[in-house]
Amino acid sequence: MFTLLLDLLVNTGIKKIKMSKILGLLCALLFVGYTEAVITGFTGTSPAGTMTVAGTATAATSTISLQSSLASGATLFTVTAAAGDTINTYAFHTTNGNPGTYGAIAKVGTAGVVTLAKALDYATTKEVVFIVVATDTASTPNTGSMTVTVKFGPSTHTAYSFCVADPTALGAVIGTPSSSVSTAVWTVAAGGTDAAKFTVASGVIKTAAILQSSDKIHYTADLTLTDGTATSTWPLHVLVGNTCLNSGVSQVVTGLAMILITVLAIHVV
């Protein structure tokens, strides 16, 4: 740390250097040596895609919806903390970070992966709030937390993705979202990117406007599933294009086509 100062003293001579300059240089070197980086933020992903993160850099928050039928061991979400130093550990907050011990956490590479530790009893548990704490390797460790609210819902799919003709008329049926609870009600969540383009009537998704590729290739919105007092939100993706149709019928897109829609969500919209 003090090599620069030593060279200055030897090459220039102590007598030629003002004491104020020596003290200023010492303070600067000490500041550099003892200033440590902090955790600067969090990102996250879930089976439904990239998580929307709010809050502060060291106290982030996010809310996701997942299927209540997930088996033990299934991945719930993955969080990654950004910091000047390497992240050493990810752990649940010691007092309230893993209610009901529904979660298990492990550091995989630079991320913290949270999995379902035991099967969920949806009848009694429709929401679990996890708090993940990241700790870095600084000599005085820095920490940051991310609170993730997981809303479990009876949807039978993680996301709803459909392919429709170009153009698709107003009032056309897009597809049918499904739920393991017959009394649960589907609606289009307000405020989504293309929420005004869709509606749900009698349990089916319909267009509320003409969809055509000259406007957009990929339309997105969110569907809300209400089961009593519990609500959960599920992504809706609609790809407009005649070449993606199978036998002229709109279908739920799976496999490679779902990957294509995900790419379009990033690069087209």
Side-chain angles (χ1 to χ4, degrees):
M1 179 186 293
F2 297 101
T3 303
L4 179 61
L5 179 60
L6 182 59
D7 289 342
L8 186 61
L9 293 174
V10 172
N11 295 329
T12 308
I14 296 178
K15 293 182 179 180
K16 295 182 181 180
I17 304 175
K18 292 183 179 181
M19 183 58 67
S20 60
K21 291 184 177 180
I22 294 176
L23 291 175
L25 183 57
L26 278 172
C27 290
L29 291 171
L30 287 171
F31 179 80
V32 171
Y34 289 100
T35 298
E36 305 248 351
V38 297
I39 291 175
T40 56
F42 285 86
T43 57
T45 60
S46 77
T50 301
M51 295 161 59
T52 300
V53 179
T56 64
T58 55
T61 62
S62 187
T63 300
I64 61 175
S65 294
L66 296 176
Q67 295 164 268
S68 57
S69 58
L70 289 175
S72 177
T75 297
L76 300 179
F77 59 89
T78 299
V79 299
T80 303
D85 291 288
T86 303
I87 297 299
N88 185 38
T89 62
Y90 290 94
F92 290 121
H93 191 282
T94 54
T95 57
N96 59 347
N98 185 20
T101 62
Y102 277 109
I105 190 167
K107 184 172 181 285
V108 179
T110 60
V113 179
V114 175
T115 56
L116 189 63
K118 59 185 178 181
L120 185 78
D121 181 7
Y122 176 67
T124 59
T125 305
K126 293 178 172 59
E127 178 179 299
V128 179
V129 180
F130 298 98
I131 303 176
V132 175
V133 178
T135 304
D136 68 11
T137 57
S139 56
T140 301
N142 300 292
T143 62
S145 67
M146 183 165 175
T147 301
V148 180
T149 300
V150 181
K151 293 188 175 184
F152 292 98
S155 172
T156 56
H157 291 82
T158 301
Y160 290 88
S161 303
F162 302 93
C163 180
V164 299
D166 182 16
T168 293
L170 167 67
V173 173
I174 298 294
T176 304
S178 54
S179 168
S180 60
V181 177
S182 60
T183 55
V185 178
W186 290 96
T187 56
V188 176
T193 303
D194 298 308
K197 302 288 186 180
F198 304 99
T199 186
V200 177
S202 301
V204 298
I205 306 167
K206 295 183 177 182
T207 57
I210 297 173
L211 305 184
Q212 51 192 0
S213 62
S214 58
D215 293 332
K216 297 179 74 170
I217 296 174
H218 178 221
Y219 292 80
T220 62
D222 290 316
L223 300 174
T224 298
L225 180 58
T226 302
D227 178 21
T229 59
T231 61
S232 50
T233 304
W234 310 88
L236 171 65
H237 301 277
V238 179
L239 186 64
V240 178
N242 295 320
T243 57
C244 65
L245 294 176
N246 180 11
S247 302
V249 179
S250 300
Q251 296 188 358
V252 174
V253 180
T254 57
L256 293 176
M258 185 62 216
I259 296 174
L260 172 62
I261 283 184
T262 303
V263 172
L264 286 171
I266 297 172
H267 297 288
V268 175
V269 176

